[in-house]
Amino acid sequence: AQLIQVEHPAFQQAMRVKVLRPDGLFFSSAIQLPSTQAVRAGDTLLVHLYFRSILNTEETGNGFATVFVQGPKPEYKKYLIHEINATDEWKEYKLPVKITDDLAKGELGLFIGAGGGSKKQTWEVGGIQLLNYGDSTALSALPQTRASYLGRAPDAAWRKEANERIERHRKGDFSIQVRTADGQAIEGAEIQVRQQRHAYHFGSVITATLLTGQSETSEIYRAKVLELFNQSGTENDLKWGPWENEWGDKYQQAQTIEALQWLKERHFYTRGHVLVWPSKKHLPRSLLPYFSKGDPASAAPAAKQIVLDHIADITSATSDYLDEWDVINEPYSNHDLMDAFGNEIMVDWFKAARQNLSTQQLYLNDYAILSSGGRDRTHQQHYQDTLRYLLDKGASVNGMGMQGHFGRNPTSIERVHSILDRYHTSFPQLDIRITEFDVSTDDAELQADYTRDFLTIVFSHPATVGVQCWGFWAGAHWRPEAALYTKDWQIRPNGEQWKHLTREIWWTDLNGQSDAKGTFSGRAYYGDYMIRVRHNETIKELQFQIEKDDANRFEIQF
């Protein structure tokens, strides 16, 4: 980095930064500017700066960096994280931030992170200010540069390509033959084709206590589950602690089974989360005495069998109700069990799961593969290496679970597609599922647009099998601002987009008549259908499925 002279109405100096080793996270290499005054909890600050790209080889032509406001060690609490990007023209940014702690002069820092990319780049930043408006100014009262993402433009090139892939990979031709009992073609029969359910999974996790409850809220909750989704699973009920009743009376095994049975009776595709979340903070309290503090290698070997016993217990109890499982969750940052007993135990977990799950799909699930701007290269490589290790060791891995928690700076749409391509190319035999989707921001328009575009690009990729929201109602959501419905059941713009795409745009209802050969043909999204045929005064109905790699020819006789 070097200080240079520039010509700009607001400033005459700027910092030029050459990013020569782009790997790593945004906070691993950053310009650091400590605060010149103390701040107090409740203070509202404004980050004000200008940014431009000087040299980059990104396809978009945009350089990027990450602005973050951070407290002191050891917590390094981040009060703001915002990606900035620009072409070679100066772009102004105004970013309000609320401080929630008392911090002395110099303890709060404004940082501009250079990491998190795959290509070298050079950019400049100038006119930097961190302004404190005290505790009497609301965030909403300050000017703000609205966040966005690359690929949001209505005429973005990726849209045409994605729609072409959807037409190619998510729809199939079908024909219906209408005949008399002796085989004569019937011309002019009136035909209605109505889609009942998607083959693709559009889902959300649920809470068992709400799904099985008797309150008016539970009634609405169940109705929305049926209206919006065809795939589901529990958010917390099948985690080890809740399963062992360590989380209180809201989590009971009998209640969990009742919720899963409710879903299966209504033909939902169901998934379990999670068999092993391999860090001490996510293991049940009963297992913690087997570990020595600060010395993973001294963990008692008996813990290995306890994990296997848990897998056997929970899979045998739920195998009739679940179609797939996350066997391991977040091994990149949760690895106490592997530190204690070696990576081989991950293979043992998959093999143990397969004992009671002979036909179910088994997944490795992790975060920051698609989020974090899609630039967490170390995390992405660890995920790829772990998958390769498991497969090489004979683990029965069927799918790649990629979480999808996005914030105010969601990953560019084309970057999402390139990441999906990367893993599909590396593991063409494995399905890809977005297991935990939400967009957490107070910008409702951005949230809705990204929901629309993310669903579109994922649905268009032939390796994906579904998108599962990590909750849908603000009254039962880990990030209420990300829910599709408010707490009083008002649908949000992102919920409107979900419904519009999954039940209108990607939905097939057709009307027509049989031709001279008694045939009615069309093209429809893969899924379950009801056909209603009227000939003279007689009406007949037929349920059928339009499936991939099938002739999809059907016949109705009068």
Side-chain angles (χ1 to χ4, degrees):
Q2 64 180 128
L3 198 64
I4 62 170
Q5 300 298 311
V6 296
E7 293 184 5
H8 191 279
F11 53 93
Q12 288 74 51
Q13 289 184 321
M15 184 75 76
R16 174 171 289 182
V17 175
K18 295 181 179 181
V19 185
L20 304 177
R21 295 180 59 187
D23 286 356
L25 298 174
F26 64 85
F27 51 78
S28 64
S29 184
I31 295 173
Q32 306 176 37
L33 303 171
S35 58
T36 58
Q37 299 176 8
V39 296
R40 299 186 62 82
D43 282 357
T44 300
L45 278 60
L46 181 69
V47 177
H48 183 207
L49 54 80
Y50 296 79
F51 180 82
R52 71 177 177 182
S53 175
I54 300 300
L55 178 66
N56 73 79
T57 56
E58 298 288 338
E59 293 181 11
T60 62
N62 283 50
F64 68 91
T66 304
V67 173
F68 57 107
V69 177
Q70 178 176 275
K73 62 179 181 181
E75 292 84 5
Y76 297 109
K77 183 175 180 179
K78 293 175 176 58
Y79 302 92
L80 170 73
I81 302 175
H82 192 104
E83 181 177 299
I84 56 177
N85 61 76
T87 60
D88 57 358
E89 298 291 331
W90 285 109
K91 184 174 180 179
E92 183 180 19
Y93 280 91
K94 296 179 180 179
L95 309 172
V97 54
K98 180 70 73 173
I99 304 302
T100 55
D101 303 280
D102 293 338
L103 297 172
K105 173 184 175 180
E107 287 190 322
L108 186 71
L110 171 61
F111 296 75
I112 304 169
S118 60
K119 301 174 182 178
K120 296 178 181 181
Q121 59 170 334
T122 301
W123 44 260
E124 294 175 355
V125 59
I128 303 171
Q129 294 178 302
L130 182 61
L131 307 172
N132 191 350
Y133 288 81
D135 61 3
S136 60
T137 301
L139 282 176
S140 59
L142 294 181
Q144 180 172 347
T145 302
R146 295 186 66 183
S148 192
Y149 56 91
L150 296 175
R152 190 179 184 182
D155 60 350
W158 70 266
R159 298 187 187 279
K160 180 176 182 294
E161 298 166 356
N163 287 327
E164 289 172 350
R165 287 193 300 271
I166 289 171
E167 182 69 25
R168 184 165 65 253
H169 297 298
R170 302 302 176 190
K171 298 175 77 174
D173 296 324
F174 72 93
S175 63
I176 299 166
Q177 194 74 35
V178 185
R179 299 180 184 277
T180 62
D182 60 0
Q184 298 299 310
I186 297 177
E187 182 181 4
E190 298 177 5
I191 297 174
Q192 293 181 339
V193 176
R194 297 291 181 264
Q195 187 167 358
Q196 307 294 304
R197 183 181 294 269
H198 254 290
Y200 196 84
H201 299 146
F202 296 107
S204 174
V205 292
I206 52 88
T207 65
T209 183
L210 270 171
L211 195 72
T212 62
Q214 301 304 311
S215 67
E216 181 181 355
T217 296
S218 286
E219 290 286 347
I220 299 172
Y221 190 85
R222 285 190 289 269
K224 294 301 180 186
V225 170
L226 291 171
E227 176 187 353
L228 297 169
F229 311 114
N230 63 359
Q231 177 272 315
S232 190
T234 60
E235 179 182 8
N236 293 314
D237 301 80
L238 289 170
K239 293 174 181 175
W240 196 342
W243 182 255
E244 296 292 342
N245 200 29
E246 289 189 355
W247 287 23
D249 292 340
K250 287 178 62 177
Y251 299 94
Q252 301 285 341
Q253 288 187 17
Q255 178 180 261
T256 301
I257 296 298
E258 182 184 352
L260 296 178
Q261 185 174 2
W262 187 93
L263 292 169
K264 290 305 291 183
E265 287 174 351
R266 287 153 183 83
H267 308 293
F268 276 68
Y269 185 93
T270 52
R271 66 188 324 269
H273 177 82
V274 52
L275 292 179
V276 188
W277 200 351
S279 66
K280 289 187 286 186
K281 66 181 177 180
H282 296 305
L283 293 171
R285 292 190 295 270
S286 60
L287 199 61
L288 298 184
Y290 292 85
F291 293 87
S292 297
K293 187 174 182 181
D295 184 15
S298 65
K304 292 194 293 183
Q305 187 60 48
I306 293 174
V307 177
L308 296 176
D309 291 343
H310 166 67
I311 294 173
D313 169 58
I314 197 170
T315 56
S316 63
T318 61
S319 60
D320 290 341
Y321 309 107
L322 292 170
D323 298 297
E324 70 183 40
W325 267 98
D326 288 329
V327 177
I328 306 173
N329 192 43
E330 301 176 351
Y332 176 76
S333 56
N334 296 270
H335 43 73
D336 287 331
L337 285 172
M338 288 82 92
D339 294 343
F341 305 115
N343 289 336
E344 295 84 359
I345 59 170
M346 294 190 292
V347 181
D348 295 337
W349 299 337
F350 272 90
K351 290 181 177 179
R354 186 56 77 200
Q355 292 298 311
N356 289 322
L357 305 173
S358 59
T359 60
Q360 284 85 345
Q361 302 294 289
L362 304 181
Y363 275 70
L364 177 69
N365 191 52
D366 215 334
Y367 70 99
I369 309 303
L370 297 170
S371 55
S372 300
R375 298 192 180 101
D376 193 340
R377 292 169 58 81
T378 304
H379 200 150
Q380 291 166 343
Q381 189 61 49
H382 179 273
Y383 185 62
Q384 183 167 333
D385 292 344
T386 304
L387 284 164
R388 178 57 61 200
Y389 174 83
L390 290 169
L391 292 168
D392 288 347
K393 292 291 185 178
S396 300
V397 184
N398 304 114
M400 297 177 275
M402 300 180 185
Q403 297 179 22
H405 299 298
F406 298 95
R408 61 187 298 173
N409 293 114
T411 306
S412 75
I413 296 300
E414 292 184 83
R415 179 68 177 143
V416 170
H417 188 257
S418 69
I419 294 170
L420 295 175
D421 265 350
R422 166 188 174 175
Y423 288 97
H424 178 50
T425 300
S426 297
F427 307 102
Q429 75 277 34
L430 301 185
D431 292 334
I432 299 175
R433 185 183 301 279
I434 311 306
T435 56
E436 305 180 20
F437 174 64
D438 50 40
V439 185
S440 181
T441 174
D442 57 4
D443 187 334
E445 185 179 356
L446 172 71
Q447 187 179 58
D449 286 355
Y450 197 73
T451 297
R452 175 199 65 209
D453 292 345
F454 182 80
L455 284 177
T456 301
I457 201 67
V458 172
F459 186 52
S460 79
H461 198 287
T464 68
V465 294
V467 178
Q468 178 181 253
C469 296
W470 202 243
F472 65 95
W473 176 50
H477 202 292
W478 78 306
R479 291 177 175 171
E481 72 279 4
L484 306 181
Y485 281 83
T486 64
K487 195 169 184 180
D488 61 354
W489 291 108
Q490 299 301 306
I491 192 167
R492 287 176 169 155
N494 59 330
E496 294 279 12
Q497 285 292 348
W498 180 277
K499 287 182 63 176
H500 180 60
L501 289 174
T502 64
R503 299 306 296 266
E504 295 178 29
I505 299 299
W506 302 328
W507 197 259
T508 303
D509 287 338
L510 299 173
N511 299 312
Q513 292 184 339
S514 57
D515 61 19
K517 295 181 180 179
T519 301
F520 177 80
S521 299
R523 188 168 175 82
Y525 290 99
Y526 297 124
D528 298 343
Y529 285 82
M530 172 71 76
I531 180 173
R532 179 184 175 94
V533 182
R534 181 187 183 99
H535 174 55
N536 295 330
E537 299 303 317
T538 303
I539 296 175
K540 290 195 174 184
E541 293 182 338
L542 173 69
Q543 291 183 335
F544 64 96
Q545 292 181 323
I546 297 178
E547 299 177 313
K548 192 172 185 178
D549 301 323
D550 190 282
N552 295 312
R553 297 191 182 99
F554 311 97
E555 183 173 309
I556 290 184
Q557 290 187 356
F558 282 84

